[in-house]
Amino acid sequence: MATTDRQATTLALAHALSAAERGLAVIPLARTKLPALRSPHRDAPALQPFTCHGECGRFGHGVHDASTDPARIRALFAAAPWATGYGIACGLPPHYLIGVDLDTKSETDSSAALRELALRHLFTIPPTVVVVTPSGGRHLWLTGPPGHVVPNSAGRLAPGIDIRGAGGYLVGPGSRTRHGAYTTAPGTSHLPPAACPPALLRLLLPPPVRRTGGGTVAGGRGLVQFVLTAHEGQRNTRLFWAACRAYENGIGPELLAPLLEAARTTGLTEHEARATIASAARMTGHRP
Ligand SMILES: [Zn+2]
């Protein structure tokens, strides 16, 4: 049975509201799986989206629009009547959701890769919510501890395994996209998202930054290097991640200038880089 767009929107909103009831912050998604609402700043080159994370009061800031407030969610969907799905923001309280995205498109079997990781690092994936994607991939929902920023990564853990962390989102079950519907795997929809096993969490977190004497920071160089080696599509994410680690380890202010310089070397403007570092500071509970 074909589902009309209007029905798809109504269904997506209903699913989004029920996710919000479970404490998951949501945004409307288009059939493309991208945020349904475009940036209100897209025509103002001087004010790119990354400089504003919603402070302007309008919708269209991607995952920064995400909310658990039913009135705000209804307003977001009313502003995007073409939405057929919803995204669940990762890394936010109270769940600090981490998505383990097991791809089926890759050559290697990502489920087998995860089992191998689990054997090698002595953890077991607890029973948790599993979302099946239209291509047969699976998203495992785990929760993280507060105070740690799990970065997004693609294939870093193992080929075919992507991680959705802070600043990322997961397509919610009940969403319809161009390629089909996202559904919950049988028997998992009633489960609460389970805590990420500590051994797996250690693999997801960037290596700890070690302080050496006199304000010289060996780990800081690693963070700067991490930004310097970013490809075009990862510049902003890597800068955000590195800045979060710097602030978490109390070297944010010291690393500000080196990180800015590294970001400019990769092609970000100073304005963009400063905005990203400022949001990393806020995210980790520091003053930018
Ligand atoms: Zn704005």
Side-chain angles (χ1 to χ4, degrees):
M1 186 190 80
T3 310
T4 67
D5 274 12
R6 199 187 167 78
Q7 282 171 326
T9 307
T10 310
L11 274 172
L13 172 60
H15 283 288
L17 287 169
S18 93
E21 254 172 50
R22 302 171 73 181
L24 299 163
V26 296
I27 50 166
L29 297 183
R31 276 194 186 278
T32 55
K33 300 195 286 185
L34 292 173
L37 291 164
R38 294 177 67 196
S39 168
H41 309 300
R42 62 187 180 275
D43 297 324
L47 190 63
Q48 293 293 313
F50 28 72
T51 67
C52 176
H53 290 148
E55 293 84 352
C56 67
R58 285 178 287 173
F59 294 151
H61 302 83
V63 80
H64 297 282
D65 287 350
S67 177
T68 54
D69 170 19
R72 184 173 160 90
I73 295 165
R74 286 179 192 284
L76 281 162
F77 274 82
W82 52 87
T84 57
Y86 65 104
I88 299 174
C90 296
L92 297 182
H95 297 298
Y96 303 95
L97 194 65
I98 301 165
V100 179
D101 181 351
L102 302 172
D103 200 354
T104 45
K105 289 190 287 290
S106 57
E107 305 270 301
T108 46
D109 179 350
S110 55
S111 296
L114 182 64
R115 278 197 299 275
E116 200 185 302
L117 267 180
L119 277 173
R120 194 170 350 127
H121 296 275
L122 303 173
F123 64 83
T124 45
I125 296 288
T128 192
V129 181
V130 177
V131 174
V132 182
T133 75
S135 61
R138 290 182 305 142
H139 295 166
L140 315 183
W141 290 12
L142 298 171
T143 63
H148 287 283
V149 176
V150 171
N152 290 299
S153 63
R156 190 172 72 94
L157 209 56
I161 304 181
D162 294 352
I163 298 298
R164 306 290 160 76
Y169 63 87
L170 287 162
V171 179
S175 295
R176 293 202 145 262
T177 67
R178 228 174 243 164
H179 302 288
Y182 284 66
T183 55
T184 323
T188 72
S189 64
H190 68 285
L191 295 171
C196 182
L200 174 57
L201 189 67
R202 275 196 291 279
L203 299 175
L204 303 182
L205 294 172
V209 177
R210 271 197 308 278
R211 240 176 195 289
T212 59
T216 335
V217 184
R221 275 202 299 279
L223 293 177
V224 170
Q225 192 58 31
F226 182 70
V227 173
L228 280 172
T229 53
H231 302 301
E232 198 180 326
Q234 336 165 301
R235 294 181 306 203
N236 219 32
T237 322
R238 284 204 172 199
L239 176 62
F240 180 74
W241 183 50
C244 283
R245 293 307 293 172
Y247 278 102
E248 280 170 7
N249 287 279
I251 54 169
E254 285 164 67
L255 228 52
L256 178 63
L259 283 178
L260 273 176
E261 198 185 312
R264 293 220 320 263
T265 307
T266 65
L268 287 179
T269 68
E270 170 149 4
H271 196 54
E272 292 162 4
R274 279 190 186 279
T276 299
I277 294 173
S279 66
R282 280 193 298 272
M283 178 100 183
T284 53
H286 295 81
R287 285 163 60 101

